[in-house]
Amino acid sequence: MTRRLATLAEIAGDFDAIVLDQWGVLHDGTRPYPAAPECLAELSAGGTRLAVLSNSGKRAAPNAARIAGMGFDAGLFEVVMTSGEALWRDIAEGRVVERALYAIERAPGDAAAWGDGLDVAITPTLDGAEAVLLMGLPDGAETDTFADALAQARTHDLPVFCTNPDRASPRASGQIVISPGALAHAHANAGGHVQFYGKPHLPVFRALEAALDAPPERLLMVGDSLEHDIAGGHAAGWSTAFVEGGLHAAVFANGDPKAALAALLPKGPAPDFTLASLK
């Protein structure tokens, strides 16, 4: 049975740590959600341990800086983990051997910044590439924007490392944009090989458990995606809290929240808790 909350403070004491998604929970990519900084400051002051788990293709440090730049205290989060950080570590520690990467990125230079400190080459074309790094998409991209490049990757049997499994992401003013996961799933459905990093895939949840030194049953995942945050947390054995005001805000804008949630549940398991926004 899903329990609707007014604030996270109602259940914060039941967990060793609260892990939060970034886009759609903390901010919309442009500004923080109105009550979010104060909510987390109060939780932290009361002794609640906080962490961030984000399906961002960038590394942890620039994401931590982005969050701090939006008004969140830099010392709030004990751990900031991103899917881009997870791939970076796998390459650094030799678990991924490909070193010549063709990058699909949100903005020019993102891949080069991500690869700093690694023995990798970001190739300008697929010729000579050993793999595709699918880390971001320019806002306004469509699902077929990089269709030719991914078709060529399939022809040459190149693996695709997708460091943002989200299919869509919220932006300011309620806008929803296509995210790399949409391309990655289309590529996989066409016969391509994709290795996903991030939610809902289990390894990144286990990495957070180790970093926080907490058992799964004592962790709470707070997110706005039933497919990624809630399904991933559920599969990891964590408790989950679904934020209605992020990715699916339009569904909850009018009408009964219970009916709106029921309409979305085919996208994933029911969360343990819901709340309108982070407060």
Side-chain angles (χ1 to χ4, degrees):
M1 177 70 70
T2 299
R3 173 184 165 190
R4 186 172 172 80
L5 305 174
T7 70
L8 269 184
E10 295 176 44
I11 57 169
D14 297 336
F15 300 98
D16 289 350
I18 295 177
V19 179
L20 301 114
D21 179 38
Q22 187 179 171
W23 275 269
V25 174
L26 302 181
H27 61 77
D28 63 8
T30 302
R31 60 184 62 85
Y33 289 110
E38 292 77 14
C39 165
L40 297 185
E42 290 174 6
L43 288 175
S44 179
T48 299
R49 299 168 68 200
L50 301 171
V52 171
L53 178 55
S54 176
N55 277 358
S56 169
K58 295 182 180 180
R59 293 195 62 194
N63 276 278
R66 176 196 289 272
I67 294 167
M70 290 192 182
F72 294 88
D73 189 287
L76 276 178
F77 303 107
E78 189 171 326
V79 180
V80 174
M81 175 60 71
T82 69
S83 41
E85 180 75 22
L87 175 60
W88 193 97
R89 292 185 184 188
D90 270 6
I91 293 176
E93 295 167 14
R95 289 185 290 273
V96 169
V97 299
E98 288 82 3
R99 292 294 184 270
L101 307 175
Y102 173 77
I104 297 175
E105 54 193 348
R106 184 179 181 188
D110 282 352
W114 167 86
D116 186 42
L118 291 177
D119 180 22
V120 297
I122 305 300
T123 66
T125 69
L126 280 162
D127 295 332
E130 298 171 342
V132 175
L133 171 62
L134 177 51
M135 66 177 297
L137 298 178
D139 284 359
E142 301 292 340
T143 52
D144 61 354
T145 302
F146 297 96
D148 289 344
L150 292 174
Q152 188 177 345
R154 291 192 295 274
T155 298
H156 295 287
D157 197 27
L158 298 180
V160 172
F161 298 115
C162 178
T163 54
N164 184 345
D166 289 352
R167 299 176 191 255
S169 183
R171 293 288 187 268
S173 302
Q175 182 186 15
I176 302 296
V177 300
I178 292 172
S179 289
L183 271 66
H185 283 284
H187 178 69
N189 290 339
H193 172 65
V194 180
Q195 184 169 339
F196 288 98
Y197 281 81
K199 301 168 290 186
H201 306 281
L202 192 59
V204 76
F205 288 90
R206 294 294 180 246
L208 254 294
E209 292 169 13
L212 293 166
D213 191 24
E217 64 272 13
R218 296 289 301 169
L219 292 171
L220 176 70
M221 180 73 228
V222 181
D224 67 323
S225 170
L226 290 169
E227 180 182 6
H228 300 96
D229 304 311
I230 305 307
H234 178 81
W238 298 17
S239 294
T240 59
F242 174 69
V243 174
E244 299 165 355
L247 180 63
H248 299 292
V251 179
F252 289 89
N254 298 297
D256 178 20
K258 289 184 178 180
L261 179 62
L264 290 172
L265 282 181
K267 293 181 179 292
D272 296 294
F273 308 98
T274 64
L275 62 164
S277 61
L278 190 60
K279 55 187 178 180

